[in-house]
Amino acid sequence: MKYMGEIVRNFRISRGLTLKEVCSENFSVAQLSKFERGDSEITFSKLLIILERMNISMEEFMFSLKDFELGDLELLLQQLNQHHLSQNIRQLERMIEHEDKLFHETQNKYHHLNSIMIKAMLQDVDTTFCVNETEKDIITDYLLGTDEWCYYEMILFANTIHLFNTNMLVMLSKEMVTKTVYYKEIGKNRKILIKTLINITIILLERRALAESLKLMKQIERLINKETYLYEKNVFMYVKGFYYYQKGDIETGKSMMQEAIHIFEVLESTNLAENYREHYKQITG
């Protein structure tokens, strides 16, 4: 792994910036020069100022610091999504074994939570497998006991929503909306929040919990009010159609769901169109 000063220097030079242009009243050219050479350290607050003056995000800085490799969590999620989509049961089982081994060796609770999250995805593709009640309680207790939900908590909940009964699902949905209030403006966090609320709404509609679904739909509508959320708006049109269908307005519901599927086809989002088409067939018979 490179040292932090070297990363700062690489970013600065790549942007054609001088030491003086990056410095501020908080630190001198000499201080920055020593930091870049690895001869001294600086405080985290000064590092943030430097990155801001170069228009570099902390995420970009950390990615470069790790030699452009994914972090442990991102790598785990990448593998999880890959094996879940391909329904590779054996690879999911191996991921569970690996996280259980790490938990046994380190007693780091996040490995235990990761293991349960992977089990939830395994249950989704293997009808013979079931996450037990104790494991569900561990996820619930962790989420309810965490005062501020960041990226990890949102991902953990997003991948386990199908485990919970309706009352608990509604309760945890409220927790997510409340506890992400400071972090939902971060781009990827906001997208996860929207996607998770949409998926929860679909589950609630499948269970015919119409009142609870409508409340979540109002939350989603407020979150996707920007023009940039085109994908989310199209999925939301499908969800609204599903709501009308379940409410008894069959023709309006079918029309909206079919229109959303058609838009995915026009955009050449073949897999998405096929997924929603299959869901449409299941609910309409």
Side-chain angles (χ1 to χ4, degrees):
M1 183 183 290
K2 302 173 185 176
Y3 59 85
M4 290 191 289
E6 181 183 1
I7 302 299
V8 168
R9 182 175 183 275
N10 290 343
F11 276 127
R12 179 178 62 77
I13 292 174
S14 72
R15 280 159 171 69
L17 297 170
T18 65
L19 288 165
K20 187 175 181 180
E21 287 174 315
V22 175
C23 289
S24 70
E25 65 275 7
N26 297 287
F27 49 90
S28 66
V29 169
Q31 284 178 308
L32 179 56
S33 180
K34 287 181 180 179
F35 174 62
E36 288 188 351
R37 294 197 305 269
D39 294 336
S40 67
E41 299 294 334
I42 60 173
T43 63
F44 183 68
S45 59
K46 287 182 179 179
L47 175 61
L48 291 178
I49 293 171
I50 291 170
L51 295 180
E52 188 172 322
R53 289 177 70 84
M54 294 193 296
N55 290 318
I56 303 295
S57 71
M58 179 55 71
E59 187 174 16
E60 290 168 328
F61 178 77
M62 293 304 297
F63 191 49
S64 178
L65 189 63
K66 294 175 181 177
D67 291 324
F68 306 102
E69 294 181 356
L70 293 175
D72 291 342
L73 176 59
E74 292 296 343
L75 187 59
L76 181 144
L77 294 174
Q78 185 183 76
Q79 293 173 346
L80 180 58
N81 289 333
Q82 176 187 339
H83 299 323
H84 178 255
L85 284 173
S86 63
Q87 298 189 8
N88 193 326
I89 292 173
R90 183 60 195 128
Q91 287 300 327
L92 289 171
E93 289 173 339
R94 285 175 178 166
M95 289 184 71
I96 293 167
E97 291 166 3
H98 179 66
E99 290 298 322
D100 285 342
K101 181 174 180 289
L102 289 175
F103 176 62
H104 178 73
E105 292 173 350
T106 66
Q107 292 301 300
N108 184 321
K109 68 179 178 181
Y110 291 105
H111 291 302
H112 195 192
L113 293 168
N114 290 345
S115 174
I116 300 171
M117 176 172 66
I118 300 166
K119 288 178 181 179
M121 301 300 276
L122 176 59
Q123 177 178 311
D124 193 47
V125 298
D126 182 0
T127 55
T128 66
F129 183 84
C130 187
V131 177
N132 64 50
E133 293 301 318
T134 300
E135 291 171 326
K136 292 179 188 179
D137 288 343
I138 290 171
I139 296 289
T140 303
D141 290 345
Y142 173 77
L143 292 174
L144 291 177
T146 304
D147 291 334
E148 293 182 354
W149 286 23
C150 297
Y151 181 67
Y152 180 77
E153 286 73 31
M154 297 171 74
I155 286 292
L156 180 64
F157 183 45
N159 286 322
T160 57
I161 55 176
H162 56 285
L163 298 180
F164 305 109
N165 62 41
T166 299
N167 289 337
M168 183 55 68
L169 191 55
V170 170
M171 180 188 295
L172 288 172
S173 300
K174 292 177 181 177
E175 290 285 304
M176 180 173 67
V177 171
T178 302
K179 292 181 175 181
T180 58
V181 64
Y182 297 116
Y183 301 98
K184 69 182 180 184
E185 297 309 318
I186 299 173
K188 68 177 183 179
N189 287 22
R190 192 179 185 90
K191 283 185 175 292
I192 294 168
L193 176 62
I194 294 168
K195 182 179 179 181
T196 306
L197 288 176
I198 286 174
N199 289 338
I200 292 169
T201 304
I202 290 173
I203 291 173
L204 292 176
L205 286 171
E206 288 171 344
R207 298 175 184 177
R208 295 192 173 275
L210 298 185
E212 292 81 359
S213 300
L214 185 59
K215 290 175 184 176
L216 284 186
M217 288 168 65
K218 290 178 180 177
Q219 292 274 3
I220 296 166
E221 210 154 22
R222 287 194 288 270
L223 288 167
I224 61 172
N225 57 3
K226 296 180 181 178
E227 291 183 2
T228 51
Y229 292 108
L230 298 178
Y231 160 76
E232 290 82 2
K233 286 183 178 183
N234 194 49
V235 175
F236 188 57
M237 178 164 65
Y238 181 91
V239 172
K240 285 196 290 186
F242 189 16
Y243 172 78
Y244 282 118
Y245 183 88
Q246 294 293 68
K247 193 179 177 183
D249 191 346
I250 305 298
E251 293 309 313
T252 299
K254 281 186 173 182
S255 176
M256 292 181 74
M257 288 188 284
Q258 289 169 350
E259 178 64 17
I261 293 169
H262 175 66
I263 289 173
F264 280 131
E265 290 172 337
V266 170
L267 295 174
E268 298 183 353
S269 299
T270 309
N271 290 335
L272 284 171
E274 185 59 31
N275 289 340
Y276 282 104
R277 189 181 296 109
E278 282 301 312
H279 184 265
Y280 176 83
K281 289 177 181 177
Q282 289 173 11
I283 61 177
T284 60

